[in-house]
């Protein structure tokens, strides 16, 4: 969950597991098959760069 | 509760670290976490229908090709319990029936989890579960069938019951006053030879299907299962009550209708994980050409993009495969 803190070791394991899951065939492979990989990466980069939540009110405490 | 913005921030971070599109890894991470938490198989069935887009309806509705998607994601799963996360506008009742038949041949206990909305045939799909899990922000919809009619104004989806009602009205108005025939004729002419009968049968089919499923699964342990199922089926199919096929039935209304519904908020962790999956999925739809995703907690997926489809078929990574057994 985005708002649950994890210990560093658990975080590493979680990250590695996510990386492994991400390596299973998915959208990138799908687009590559149709020769649209570069197009996908351009759209993805633009989305992640330009889309921002306008307002974010959260009780998540990241100070401790 | 994770927000859309928090998942977006996580996607950015993961994208920077992995140097690749982060949508599959993040979505799959939460599917796996949900499986770890519940101990049940997880299948996500989601379509890009609530985001503003120009995706044609035939790409996102429930259709026979979804069986192929389910075959992909059921493969390799063990255990007879399933959490089916549904986010769909509905589609073909016949395809939904085929999906239920297939899923029920594989799983004895199914929870239908609705993070936001499962309408029409997707509501029927949820009615084949043992229980439906909904948040206070979740919706199901009426199950009265829509008929695709080719009119002079173009192709339109028209409620089957509305066609029957209109035809009966025409009969009434023309019976005593044949001159009214001239007014009604251009409308009635468009109905075709068997449309009224087809409408009646479509209405009967949707009711019969959920009557069968509710009796067999959701209310199976109740003495008056069939009676209760009959009541729910009649209420969900009653067009005159809902007025619109797109009417959103919230959790409390669904309970009043008689469905067995659990509150998503009753389990904070479950809610966090389900909403994380939902937000990660809608980000995927927003940022990629994917329009339908059928995916399990092992990372196996059937993904449909706007123009063409492909079965993404590859075994889970070794570590995960071993863990699943």
């Amino acid at each position: 969950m985005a708002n649950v803190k994890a210990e560093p070791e658990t975080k590493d394991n979680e990250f590695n597991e996510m990386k492994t899951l991400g390596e299973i065939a998915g959208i990138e492979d799908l687009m590559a098959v149709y020769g649209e990989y570069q197009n996908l990466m351009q759209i993805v980069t633009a989305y992640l760069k330009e889309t921002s939540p306008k307002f974010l009110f959260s009780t998540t405490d990241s100070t401790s | 509760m994770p927000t859309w913005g928090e998942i977006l921030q996580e996607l950015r971070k993961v994208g920077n670290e992995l140097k690749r599109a982060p949508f599959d890894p993040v979505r799959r991470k939460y599917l796996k976490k949900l499986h770890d938490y519940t101990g049940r198989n997880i299948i996500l069935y989601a379509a890009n229908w609530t985001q503003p887009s120009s995706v044609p309806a035939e790409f996102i509705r429930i259709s026979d090709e979804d069986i192929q998607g389910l075959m992909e994601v059921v493969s390799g799963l063990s255990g007879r319990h399933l959490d089916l996360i549904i986010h769909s506008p509905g589609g073909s009742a016949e395809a939904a029936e085929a999906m239920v038949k297939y899923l029920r041949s594989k799983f004895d206990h199914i929870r239908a989890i609705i993070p936001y909305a499962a309408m029409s045939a997707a509501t029927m799909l949820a009615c084949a579960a043992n229980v439906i899990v909904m948040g206070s922000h979740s919706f199901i919809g009426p199950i009265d069938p829509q008929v695709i009619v080719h009119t002079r104004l173009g192709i339109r989806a028209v409620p089957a019951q509305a066609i029957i009602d209109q035809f009966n009205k025409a009969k009434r108005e023309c019976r005593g006053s044949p001159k009214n025939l001239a007014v009604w004729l251009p409308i009635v002419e468009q109905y075709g030879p068997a449309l009224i009968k087809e409408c009646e049968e479509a209405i009967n089919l949707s009711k019969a299907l959920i009557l069968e499923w509710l009796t067999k699964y959701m209310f199976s342990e109740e003495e008056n299962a069939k009676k209760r199922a009959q009541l729910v089926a009649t209420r969900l199919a009653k067009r005159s009550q809902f007025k619109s096929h797109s009417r959103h039935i919230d959790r409390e209304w669904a309970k009043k209708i008689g469905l067995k519904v659990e509150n998503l908020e009753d389990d904070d962790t479950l809610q966090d994980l389900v909403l994380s999956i939902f937000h990660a999925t809608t980000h995927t739809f927003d940022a990629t050409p994917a329009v339908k995703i059928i995916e399990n907690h092992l990372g196996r997926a059937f993904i449909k993009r706007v123009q063409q489809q492909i079965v993404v078929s590859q075994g889970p990574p070794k570590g995960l495969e071993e863990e699943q057994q």
Side-chain angles (χ1 to χ4, degrees):
Chain A
M1 294 142 287
N3 57 349
V4 173
K5 293 188 194 83
E7 295 300 320
E9 195 182 330
T10 316
K11 264 186 142 177
D12 282 349
N13 290 341
E14 198 176 84
F15 181 78
N16 289 332
E17 196 171 72
M18 180 170 61
K19 201 174 161 185
T20 310
L21 283 165
E23 283 164 8
I24 301 172
I27 292 165
E28 282 186 25
D29 307 77
L30 177 65
M31 297 305 284
V33 166
Y34 291 105
E36 294 175 11
Y37 179 80
Q38 288 306 326
N39 186 32
L40 170 73
M41 295 315 287
Q42 280 172 6
I43 299 168
V44 166
T45 306
Y47 180 81
L48 292 175
K49 198 175 167 185
E50 292 166 13
T51 310
S52 294
K54 291 181 177 61
F55 303 99
L56 181 60
F57 298 101
S58 172
T59 54
T60 307
D61 179 1
S62 59
T63 57
S64 59
Chain B
M1 189 193 304
T3 64
W4 177 89
E6 285 172 333
I7 296 294
L8 177 63
Q9 286 168 354
E10 182 178 0
L11 286 164
R12 282 183 179 145
K13 189 167 172 278
V14 171
N16 286 334
E17 287 168 350
L18 294 182
K19 304 289 178 212
R20 55 168 293 176
F23 301 98
D24 287 348
V26 169
R27 201 181 56 253
R28 289 170 181 175
K29 177 185 102 173
Y30 287 114
L31 285 166
K32 170 83 168 51
K33 270 178 168 271
L34 183 58
H35 163 74
D36 291 343
Y37 179 66
T38 63
R40 298 164 66 90
N41 291 304
I42 312 292
I43 291 178
L44 168 70
Y45 178 86
N48 178 8
W49 70 285
T50 46
Q51 284 77 23
S53 70
S54 54
V55 182
E58 62 265 29
F59 286 89
I60 53 174
R61 66 184 171 210
I62 294 173
S63 64
D64 281 325
E65 71 174 359
D66 294 340
I67 295 296
Q68 198 179 6
L70 288 179
M71 286 162 63
E72 177 63 27
V73 298
V74 165
S75 172
L77 297 183
S78 58
R80 304 284 297 178
H81 290 181
L82 172 71
D83 281 349
L84 180 65
I85 302 172
I86 310 172
H87 180 60
S88 165
S92 156
E94 292 86 348
E97 181 187 19
M99 289 169 74
V100 169
K101 277 184 180 165
Y102 181 57
L103 288 174
R104 279 299 177 179
S105 74
K106 300 288 180 183
F107 303 104
D108 298 325
H109 190 278
I110 298 177
R111 284 197 303 187
I113 301 178
I114 303 175
Y116 174 46
M119 307 295 280
S120 195
T123 296
M124 294 173 65
L125 198 57
C127 287
N130 296 76
V131 66
I132 302 173
V133 181
M134 295 173 73
S136 56
H137 48 268
S138 305
F139 301 98
I140 56 171
I143 60 157
D144 64 300
Q146 307 293 290
V147 180
I148 307 295
V149 185
H150 293 260
T151 72
R152 287 172 187 152
L153 301 173
I155 297 172
R156 293 183 62 196
V158 184
Q161 187 61 53
I163 290 175
I164 294 171
D165 291 347
Q166 195 178 41
F167 186 71
N168 288 334
K169 190 179 178 187
K171 274 202 299 189
R172 278 197 309 273
E173 292 194 1
C174 293
R175 195 172 292 144
S177 311
K179 62 182 177 185
N180 286 342
L181 199 59
V183 179
W184 277 107
L185 204 57
I187 297 168
V188 176
E189 260 183 352
Q190 297 178 61
Y191 286 0
L195 187 63
I196 303 297
K197 188 68 185 159
E198 280 176 345
C199 287
E200 288 170 352
E201 284 172 354
I203 292 168
N204 290 338
L205 175 66
S206 63
K207 275 202 279 194
L209 286 175
I210 74 159
L211 172 65
E212 180 194 335
W213 297 336
L214 290 169
T215 308
K216 215 166 160 183
Y217 308 119
M218 193 175 283
F219 304 138
S220 63
E221 291 172 7
E222 296 185 21
E223 281 180 19
N224 57 349
K226 195 164 183 182
K227 198 176 168 189
R228 191 169 166 187
Q230 181 79 59
L231 199 63
V232 173
T234 305
R235 286 172 175 166
L236 276 176
K238 197 172 182 182
R239 180 176 157 73
S240 60
Q241 181 193 354
F242 297 109
K243 310 282 193 268
S244 160
H245 187 63
S246 304
R247 198 79 183 273
H248 287 38
I249 301 170
D250 67 15
R251 185 173 67 196
E252 295 313 311
W253 196 357
K255 285 178 185 175
K256 275 185 195 161
I257 283 170
L259 288 165
K260 204 178 275 183
V261 180
E262 289 178 358
N263 299 345
L264 184 60
E265 298 86 353
D266 287 350
D267 184 333
D268 285 343
T269 307
L270 180 72
Q271 178 182 224
D272 281 358
L273 291 168
V274 167
L275 293 183
S276 296
I277 292 166
F278 176 65
H279 293 315
T281 304
T282 58
H283 279 302
T284 309
F285 289 140
D286 281 338
T288 75
V291 292
K292 190 187 276 183
I293 298 173
I294 307 175
E295 189 166 47
N296 70 16
H297 62 272
L298 297 174
R300 292 181 76 113
F302 178 95
I303 297 168
K304 191 172 173 66
R305 61 174 203 144
V306 178
Q307 288 179 335
Q308 293 173 65
Q309 67 165 56
I310 185 170
V311 179
V312 177
S313 179
Q314 182 176 312
K318 210 173 178 187
L320 288 172
E321 197 170 36
E322 285 166 1
E323 194 178 304
Q324 179 62 16
Q325 286 167 350

